[in-house]
Amino acid sequence: QFDLKRAMWREAYFDRMAEILAGWGFNQVLYEFEDKLRVRKHPCLAHPDAWSPEATAALVRRLEGRGLEVVPLFQSLGHAESVLRLPEYAHLRQSPEHLNLYDPVSEAARDFLKEIFAETIEVFQPRRFFHVGGDETRNLGAAGRAAGREPGGLYLGHLRPLWEYLLGRGLRPVVWADMLLTYLDVLEQTPAGVVLMDWDYSTGGERWPRLRRWGVGELDWEAYRSREDPEFKSRFEKYFV
């Protein structure tokens, strides 16, 4: 994952990283560009160090020339500070104090994101996938027009039209898995073709003494075995036991 949230990398650094990764056998990178791509339809989004569409497209071609499939990643619900901190886009926030969270009941927010998606697809020409982020949206429904609504429904109601837009463009949407694996009640309503990408900062080694369960936290195996959670166990136990 090339995470450009905090700083834009130098061109020579990208090229050296591509050489190293290809040598190690990697064949895919996530390119999380945040405000580091100059979007023609929304020029005020661009960081001073943002690259032009032409420069970004040239980099993508070089990365793919190394055998690295490039998957663009643009945060489409939470972690949206690069957009929502700007006064021009304050109307897309869930509430004035949520600088990182789009209003999940805002059609204007989804229209804006589709415009970003369209330009991103034009620049990156992705082969198969487009990553929409979607992780750590724990404040859904905490304020604004979404206040008091069930967070799983808000999550799905916002992201499903974006997934369907990408599917209609011939791309498989990718989403960080933590929230869908917390809101199991909406998992069945996720369209076929959406890829859940799990992530974890704590687990290591071939055998780990604790299980991380999204929405619950970490459990040791004894606590897990005694926990009444038949729906979760029937879905996922085969993957981690």
Side-chain angles (χ1 to χ4, degrees):
Q1 180 182 1
F2 294 170
D3 185 352
L4 307 179
K5 181 184 293 290
R6 292 173 179 82
M8 188 60 193
W9 296 359
R10 296 177 185 272
E11 189 170 358
Y13 187 73
F14 279 114
D15 291 335
R16 178 60 178 144
M17 281 298 300
E19 179 184 2
I20 291 170
L21 292 172
W24 284 344
F26 281 85
N27 60 15
Q28 189 182 76
V29 294
L30 293 179
Y31 189 98
E32 184 170 2
F33 57 89
E34 292 270 334
D35 52 1
K36 307 308 188 302
L37 171 66
R38 296 190 181 278
V39 179
R40 293 189 179 96
K41 201 160 188 178
H42 297 275
C44 68
L45 291 178
H47 185 277
D49 293 335
W51 283 18
S52 69
E54 294 77 14
T56 302
L59 172 65
V60 170
R61 288 194 296 271
R62 293 203 305 279
L63 293 170
E64 297 205 329
R66 291 275 189 183
L68 297 167
E69 179 182 5
V70 180
V71 179
L73 192 166
F74 191 77
Q75 286 283 0
S76 306
L77 186 50
H79 293 303
E81 298 90 342
S82 65
V83 173
L84 299 181
R85 63 181 174 80
L86 300 172
E88 296 90 333
Y89 299 96
H91 65 289
L92 302 181
R93 301 172 189 164
Q94 176 176 260
S95 66
E97 67 270 22
H98 285 127
L99 304 186
N100 66 334
L101 189 64
Y102 288 104
D103 182 352
V105 298
S106 169
E107 196 65 40
R110 287 186 286 279
D111 289 344
F112 163 78
L113 288 162
K114 289 175 186 177
E115 290 175 352
I116 299 293
F117 288 5
E119 288 204 36
T120 302
I121 292 168
E122 180 183 343
V123 171
F124 283 79
Q125 296 292 305
R127 294 186 216 163
R128 297 183 293 168
F129 303 109
F130 191 118
H131 202 309
V132 302
D135 55 314
E136 299 184 316
T137 59
R138 302 184 190 96
N139 289 322
L140 272 178
R145 294 184 299 166
R149 300 199 193 184
E150 196 276 316
L154 290 170
Y155 188 89
L156 191 70
H158 176 76
L159 284 177
R160 183 162 54 186
L162 301 177
W163 295 334
E164 290 171 346
Y165 170 83
L166 292 170
L167 289 165
R169 298 290 302 266
L171 294 168
R172 295 189 68 182
V174 185
V175 61
W176 296 122
D178 55 325
M179 303 317 296
L180 276 176
L181 297 184
T182 297
Y183 308 137
L184 293 181
D185 55 321
V186 301
L187 193 59
E188 295 290 354
Q189 301 172 60
T190 300
V194 175
V195 178
L196 274 65
M197 184 175 285
D198 203 11
W199 61 273
D200 175 2
Y201 292 137
S202 59
T203 304
E206 294 183 6
R207 295 182 64 84
W208 196 247
R210 301 179 71 80
L211 165 70
R212 181 169 183 80
R213 160 73 199 277
W214 293 117
V216 174
E218 287 198 347
L219 304 170
D220 60 36
W221 291 109
E222 184 177 349
Y224 169 73
R225 291 189 192 98
S226 64
R227 184 178 178 84
E228 286 297 324
D229 203 345
E231 182 186 18
F232 183 84
K233 290 183 179 183
S234 67
R235 289 178 186 273
F236 301 111
E237 191 166 53
K238 63 184 178 181
Y239 297 112
F240 52 75
V241 173

